Amino acid sequence: MQLNRLLAGVAILAMTVSAASAQTPAGQVPSQQPEEVIIDQGVLRPFQIAVANFDGENGSELGDVIRADLRRSGYFEPLDPASFVETGLTLANAPNFPQWTSIGAQAVLYGSVTRRADNRNDFGFRLYDPYRQCQLASYRFTATPEQWRRIGHKIADLIYQRMTGESGYFDSRVLFVSESGTQLNRLSRLAISDQDGFNPVYLTTGDEIIMSPRFSLNDPNEITYVALGKDYSRIYLFNLSTGRRESLGEFDGQVLAPRFSNDGSKMAFSIIRGGNTDVYVMDLASRQVRRLTNDPAIDTSPSFSPDNSQIVFTSDRSGSARLYVMRADGTGQRPISRGGGIYTAPNWSPRGDLIAFTKQGGGRFSTGVMKPDGTGERILSSSYFEEGPSWAPNGRYIMFARQSPGGDTRLWTVDLSGRVVSQAGYNGRGSDPAWSPLLDEQPSNLGAGGPDSCST
């Protein structure tokens, strides 16, 4: 049943933090330059940041969310609030800079939560550099009181953007297969949660086997997945905002591994038919299906390049599973993986620069990356068993499923340096993760802060 486990693979890549290659995020002042995050001889020295608890409703919990997000990124080391010398910061005043440099804080974040007349809350914050004694950022979000946790993720995103020059990824969600029960009586449900594992929601009841959930990168409310019943396999479209579910139709054979094109107009997937497995693509508007591969081997797990011009997929036509790339119309099929072992589950980075994969060899499974031409292969994580890499929306982190010997399958993350490896926030058993795009909404600017604003 677990075709995903039959087809698995690995690789790596070193992360570089480059202001020159970073795009200016919405709501950000284009001329601002990122603060320096040092990678010295491959060793990342986390940036020490003081995140004060916000004044107002859920202010303490808001601070906890921001600190947890930044810590998990591996770039930041939030200082213990018990070490803070200055307390009672308000948005109307700048910090007492020497009191923050005395504890080694390289940045200071503080803010407040204020109830409005319409019963929504304003979440305002300021970020300062205490060594240069100037303001780095100041913004305000407006949201319902119940959205405080999501606002914490959005604030963490803005800090991450300002300090590294890269887009954030905290205000996003993860789709996955939640597993429960025993090995002989396993229950699988489609589930979704915030990227840190909070607020899990179960979208199916467990009466079907769920496989290959995926987001549309064009619309984070639109997802797809495969459901296996007693006598059927179907690809479903599911809208998270409306709850509407529809099948893509009945196919002659078992369907698997669906994935949207990046503009949301097409769906690539595989069909097992007559002992053969090939890649197909469907135009979602017309529902017309076209066959892209025609080989007696197993061709599966298609993934579009960001510009939708190419598709990477897995094929064992050479004798063992390798990664192949073809044009979106199926022409120009060529192998790209060059190392030994079995390569599976390719996933093109949203940045377009890398392809993630699972690799099996030497009695272990690994998660790795390579360039689209197959060069630069590197392994990021290896273990007894892991599979199914999915990219964070900024293309700098990968989530995958990992299982220890005799243990349960859990969700894990790794960064592109391979040095920040940790279990994801969801505490239950889970597999086949899919990371959403960033969610919408941008903040308003509190103001540049006058003459104390940091210059470029």
Side-chain angles (χ1 to χ4, degrees):
M1 184 274 287
Q2 283 289 19
L3 180 66
N4 293 341
R5 298 193 179 185
L6 191 88
L7 309 165
V10 105
I12 278 189
L13 162 56
M15 174 185 291
T16 57
V17 181
S18 169
S21 64
Q23 295 183 351
T24 302
Q28 188 83 349
V29 179
S31 61
Q32 291 179 335
Q33 297 298 312
E35 296 299 288
E36 184 179 18
V37 177
I38 300 173
I39 299 178
D40 183 13
Q41 297 178 346
V43 178
L44 179 66
R45 288 186 263 166
F47 196 90
Q48 292 193 317
I49 184 170
V51 179
N53 290 332
F54 281 38
D55 288 334
E57 187 177 358
N58 294 118
S60 176
E61 295 92 338
L62 191 63
D64 289 340
V65 169
I66 297 168
R67 285 188 287 269
D69 279 348
L70 296 177
R71 183 178 292 109
R72 276 195 310 276
S73 75
Y75 278 126
F76 298 88
E77 181 184 346
L79 300 175
D80 185 349
S83 69
F84 297 174
V85 178
E86 184 179 21
T87 59
L89 289 164
T90 67
L91 291 177
N93 299 301
N96 184 320
F97 298 117
Q99 293 192 8
W100 295 99
T101 56
S102 70
I103 63 171
Q106 295 171 276
V108 182
L109 174 81
Y110 60 95
S112 66
V113 184
T114 308
R115 183 60 66 95
R116 295 160 52 106
D118 60 5
N119 286 326
R120 293 187 298 165
N121 283 343
D122 282 337
F123 300 82
F125 69 93
R126 296 188 187 276
L127 180 68
Y128 277 87
D129 180 336
Y131 286 91
R132 290 193 288 163
Q133 300 190 4
C134 57
Q135 181 176 274
L136 294 166
S138 57
Y139 292 101
R140 177 177 23 303
F141 288 98
T142 300
T144 63
E146 295 77 22
Q147 291 180 299
W148 65 268
R149 187 169 196 92
R150 186 181 170 201
I151 296 302
H153 295 318
K154 298 187 82 63
I155 292 172
D157 275 336
L158 286 170
I159 297 168
Y160 185 95
Q161 291 168 356
R162 183 62 179 91
M163 308 307 282
T164 71
E166 299 283 349
S167 297
Y169 64 96
F170 304 115
D171 185 31
S172 58
R173 294 185 289 182
V174 177
L175 195 64
F176 58 97
V177 177
S178 171
E179 301 176 351
S180 59
T182 64
Q183 199 72 356
L184 296 177
N185 187 23
R186 178 170 295 178
L187 184 71
S188 71
R189 292 181 292 173
L190 181 63
I192 190 170
S193 73
D194 297 345
Q195 57 78 26
D196 60 354
F198 281 79
N199 301 320
V201 175
Y202 302 96
L203 303 173
T204 60
T205 60
D207 55 350
E208 298 171 311
I209 296 172
I210 303 301
M211 299 173 62
S212 304
R214 299 290 181 260
F215 278 98
S216 168
L217 300 185
N218 187 56
D219 180 359
N221 283 313
E222 196 74 26
I223 65 172
T224 186
Y225 64 94
V226 170
L228 301 181
K230 290 182 179 180
D231 56 358
Y232 65 86
S233 68
R234 294 177 185 145
I235 298 175
Y236 283 107
L237 294 178
F238 187 97
N239 189 283
L240 296 171
S241 60
T242 65
R244 183 175 183 268
R245 184 176 91 155
E246 63 173 314
S247 169
L248 287 187
E250 299 297 327
F251 297 91
D252 179 17
Q254 181 176 325
V255 292
L256 62 146
R259 195 182 294 270
F260 289 97
S261 61
N262 289 281
D263 61 4
S265 67
K266 296 180 176 63
M267 180 83 70
F269 53 92
S270 291
I271 301 177
I272 303 175
R273 181 181 295 157
N276 192 36
T277 305
D278 280 301
V279 176
Y280 295 74
V281 66
M282 172 185 280
D283 182 282
L284 292 176
S286 66
R287 299 299 170 94
Q288 293 297 308
V289 177
R290 186 158 47 94
R291 187 174 183 170
L292 298 184
T293 67
N294 189 359
D295 192 279
I298 296 174
D299 296 337
T300 188
S301 302
S303 175
F304 285 90
S305 62
D307 64 1
N308 302 308
S309 67
Q310 299 181 83
I311 295 175
V312 62
F313 64 101
T314 294
S315 177
D316 65 354
R317 62 184 65 178
S318 66
S320 64
R322 300 174 65 185
L323 302 188
Y324 285 71
V325 167
M326 60 182 168
R327 300 184 188 94
D329 62 2
T331 61
Q333 298 176 23
R334 64 193 188 280
I336 60 169
S337 56
R338 301 166 184 174
I342 297 172
Y343 292 81
T344 57
N347 191 345
W348 216 305
S349 165
R351 300 167 67 104
D353 57 341
L354 296 168
I355 293 171
F357 56 88
T358 301
K359 184 176 183 177
Q360 181 184 358
R364 294 174 69 80
F365 287 77
S366 305
T367 299
V369 294
M370 66 175 67
K371 294 179 182 179
D373 63 0
T375 62
E377 177 180 331
R378 298 189 64 185
I379 299 302
L380 303 177
S381 168
S382 293
S383 65
Y384 165 76
F385 179 83
E386 56 190 61
E387 67 169 351
S390 178
W391 290 95
N394 68 352
R396 289 304 186 190
Y397 297 82
I398 295 171
M399 187 174 291
F400 57 94
R402 172 185 281 185
Q403 183 182 20
S404 57
D408 295 327
T409 304
R410 306 279 177 167
L411 303 181
W412 284 69
T413 60
V414 63
D415 75 324
L416 286 186
S417 73
R419 293 176 175 83
V420 184
V421 185
S422 62
Q423 187 173 324
Y426 179 70
N427 290 324
R429 291 154 55 186
S431 62
D432 216 345
W435 217 319
S436 81
L438 277 177
L439 305 179
D440 295 329
E441 300 174 19
Q442 292 297 327
S444 56
N445 203 317
L446 278 176
D452 63 343
S453 293
C454 291
S455 58
T456 58

